[in-house]
Every structure is written in structure tokens, then in C-alpha cells.
Amino acid sequence: MATLRVPCVLSRRLAVAADVQLGLTGRGLCAEPRIQPGPRPSQQSQIKQNRQKQICLPALKHFDEKYHQELGELWDKAREVLLNPSSWQYAVLLNRFCPSELLEKHLQSQKYYNFLQIALPFLQHSLRCYISRTQCRYPKQRHQNERLKQYYLLNAASLLPVLALGIQDGECVLDMCAAPGGKSVAILQCSTPGHLLCNEPDNLRYKWLQQTLDSFVPEDVKRSIISVTQRDGRYFGSHLPEMYDKVLVDAPCSNDRSWLFSSDLFQTCTRIAHRPKLPTLQRQLLRSGVNALRPGGSLVYSTCTLSHAENDDVVSSLLNSCDNIQAVDLTELSCALSHDFTFAKGIQHGLLIVPERSKTWGPLYVSKLCKLH
């Protein structure tokens, strides 16, 4: 196994400090960051050591058995990345509600680039997401009342569901499984929906979703176009049929990255035992989303797992039982982004991003469906 380069780690003092003293109050206020020097090279090995995570061996054994069979050699490449968190890359999604020219210049000075502007120049939207070729992580910003964050750290692959959905201004949108809120934030960066319903049934994740929206969206925007609910996703298809122009079902799944580093062995064993039941819930959520979709509308189904059973098989089940639903070809999108992402071959109804060295984004599956009538 090749040795990965030591990542360049940026300290919290390097870029936008979330606790910068503004001397201002009021919802939605931002400040230009004070740019401070980063850690000295001698500090980097210590920072890397402090971030080491303990691999969950039962999860690893389970994934090895499943994914060697499904992905073959591609699993070996993904495995190398997933077991080495210090190699993971993080994208910086800028918040259009709190723009900062100084922040953008600093990102560029650190060799970050707006990959969407390069890969998808024909998309005239304000979605600005910076990535780096090296294994860097920009510092997080802490949540502060009355102040908006200037950027959101995320796996760049998680923007694909939003890009595939292609939301237009004024449309009615449902984000069925919205926590922690990154995709809702991304939706608002590239469009102004007529109404955006962000739903999350889990109590703790619901609070996390609310905090994310508070951190990135001005109060007047939240009041005018956003609703936040705490319902089971299966509610919408039966109680709000054909209400939405666009629906995002970012379904609960066996999150490969988090499972591999779970510190609770009992929880891991329980998850593995219950994993075969996940596709049943995912099919129910997908069908609910389709029922909530207006004729002519589009739905995107996505997960952050490599599991065929939770991805293409779920979509196939729906397509085989609904004659008014059609899968949309996403080849053009994958070709445009192939310079930055690795796409698995042989995916029937969508795209599967698989992490590998130097392209550590993913895992992420995305499928786009259109409701014909």
C-alpha cells in the first residue's frame, strides 16, 4: 500500500475565525476575517496524530465481505481512503448570504479553486464551492447567535444531488430527510424556491438541522420561504400528494464512513444485523417522495453508501412498479465532473462516486427520476 502524503492542516487561526469580534449585533451580520498564520510544519505531525481514529473491526470485516463482491478492485481503492481519515478532503461551500471577498481571495491563495465554475461553466448560479488537490481541511466556524457563517464544510460529492435536481426559482421543494442541513443550505445558495420544506424526523438531528439553518440563512428568508418539520418521511406521500415541483430523498443509509469509525461495538453489531432492513425503509421513503411530486416534477434519491442493495436496487424496485416514473440520464453531469470525482461503472439508474487516492470524495449515490403524469 502506497504511503499517503501528510495533509496540510489549517489551524483555526488560519482563515475565517467564527469568533471574530465584530462590534456589531443583529441577525445576518458578517465580518471580514482576520487572516492569521497557520501551524508550523513541526506542529502538523502532532495535529495529525491527535486526529487519528480507531477503526471499527466488525464494520470493516462486514464491508470487506460485501464490497469485495460488489465492487472488486474498486473497493480496494475506496478502502484505502476510508481507513485513512487524514487523507480525506473537505470542500468549502461559500454562503451567498454572507459574502466575503477576503475569504475568497484567501482560499485562492491556498490553492483552492471553484470546481463548479470550471466543470459546469454553463450553469449560471451562485453556488460557489472551493476544493483543493491536497488533503487540506479549512477550519470550522462555530455557531454563534445573531451571526451568519461564511462557509460550510462538506464532502464535495454531496452537492451532486442538488446539482442533479436543478431547482428553479419559485419552485416548491421538499427536502425529506434534511439533517444536518448541508443540502438545504446548498439549495438556497443556487436558487430561491417559492417554498422549501426541510424535514427531519429524528429529534436530535432536527435540532441540528435548525441550528444549521440559523447559522447560514437570514431570518427574513427563513420566515418567507422555509418551513422546518419533524415528520416521518412516509407522511408526505399520503398527506400531501402532488404538492412539490422537486423532491430530494437523501435517505437514511448505512453510512460507510461513520460506521467504520464507530466507537460503540454493540451499536455497530446492531446496525449490521439490521442493515438488510434498510432497503425496505428506503423504498417506502422513495415511494412517498414520488407520491408527493407533481406530474412533470423531478425527484432525486441519494445515499452516502456503496451498497448496491440501498442504491440501484431501491430505484429498480420503484421503476418496476410505477409506469409513470422514468429515470433521467446523468451521463452529462458525470462527464463534466469526472476530473474531480471517480464514478463507478455499471450503475444502471444513476451515479456512484467512489473515493480513491487524490479524489477522496464520496461515497455517494444519486439517481434522478421524473414523474411523467
Side-chain angles (χ1 to χ4, degrees), residues 30-285:
C30 308
E32 291 295 337
R34 298 190 190 110
I35 306 301
Q36 301 281 354
R40 296 186 299 275
S42 61
Q43 294 175 300
Q44 293 186 355
S45 59
Q46 182 63 40
I47 294 173
K48 178 183 177 183
Q49 183 178 359
N50 291 341
R51 291 191 175 185
Q52 289 297 323
K53 296 181 178 182
Q54 189 69 34
I55 296 170
C56 181
L57 294 180
L60 178 59
K61 180 182 178 181
H62 175 74
F63 287 157
D64 278 340
E65 293 172 352
K66 289 286 185 180
Y67 294 152
H68 268 304
Q69 182 179 358
E70 293 183 12
L71 298 170
E73 293 182 359
L74 198 54
W75 167 239
D76 294 331
K77 296 179 179 181
R79 186 183 192 274
E80 179 182 3
V81 171
L82 294 175
L83 294 181
N84 188 0
S86 65
S87 73
W88 297 355
Q89 297 165 278
Y90 295 86
V92 183
L93 176 65
L94 302 189
N95 185 8
R96 71 175 175 127
F97 300 113
C98 189
S100 170
E101 183 178 349
L102 181 57
L103 169 60
E104 205 152 1
K105 288 181 177 178
H106 185 261
L107 285 166
Q108 294 165 359
S109 74
Q110 298 296 313
K111 308 302 182 183
Y112 281 78
Y113 61 96
N114 184 352
F115 82 100
L116 294 176
Q117 187 178 44
I118 297 171
L120 303 170
F122 53 88
L123 289 181
Q124 299 300 315
H125 55 58
S126 58
L127 191 62
R128 293 175 297 160
C129 187
Y130 281 79
I131 64 175
S132 173
R133 293 287 180 204
T134 57
Q135 287 85 37
C136 297
R137 178 169 184 168
Y138 221 63
K140 285 185 177 181
Q141 290 183 302
R142 292 179 298 180
H143 173 76
Q144 292 189 96
N145 294 329
E146 309 302 329
R147 294 175 187 169
L148 295 181
K149 293 183 180 180
Q150 293 170 310
Y151 58 87
Y152 187 91
L153 297 183
L154 74 168
N155 187 319
S158 65
L159 290 178
L160 260 72
V162 176
L163 293 171
L165 202 51
I167 298 168
Q168 302 296 313
D169 290 350
E171 289 187 320
C172 192
V173 182
L174 168 63
D175 189 353
M176 183 183 288
C177 313
K183 293 179 180 65
S184 294
V185 168
I187 287 171
L188 294 167
Q189 301 307 307
C190 59
S191 64
T192 304
H195 180 235
L196 172 61
L197 194 153
C198 306
N199 180 72
E200 175 55 49
D202 181 80
N203 189 51
L204 290 177
R205 290 174 62 83
Y206 173 78
K207 293 177 181 178
W208 190 1
L209 170 63
Q210 286 185 312
Q211 185 177 89
T212 299
L213 294 173
D214 288 343
S215 293
F216 288 93
V217 185
E219 283 291 344
D220 59 333
V221 175
K222 288 195 299 180
R223 286 195 301 267
S224 60
I225 66 172
I226 298 175
S227 298
V228 185
T229 59
Q230 193 177 358
R231 295 187 180 278
D232 187 308
R234 291 167 288 195
Y235 165 90
F236 296 97
S238 58
H239 289 79
L240 297 174
E242 300 187 353
M243 284 289 295
Y244 299 96
D245 302 296
K246 300 286 170 66
V247 174
L248 174 59
V249 182
D250 187 39
C253 67
S254 50
N255 186 318
D256 298 343
R257 288 199 185 219
S258 67
W259 281 29
L260 278 171
F261 294 97
S262 173
S263 59
D264 188 332
L265 290 180
F266 176 78
Q267 181 186 59
T268 298
C269 293
T270 302
R271 284 171 167 174
I272 292 172
H274 290 170
R275 193 182 193 197
K277 300 178 181 179
L278 266 175
T280 299
L281 172 62
Q282 292 159 340
R283 287 192 294 267
Q284 293 170 349
L285 293 173

Side-chain angles (χ1 to χ4, degrees), residues 298-327:
S298 298
L299 177 148
V300 162
Y301 172 80
S302 62
T303 74
C304 53
T305 180
L306 297 169
S307 170
H308 190 80
E310 298 179 47
N311 295 337
D312 252 10
D313 284 357
V314 171
V315 177
S316 291
S317 176
L318 179 81
L319 292 174
N320 291 336
S321 61
C322 297
D323 59 4
N324 65 331
I325 303 299
Q326 186 177 68

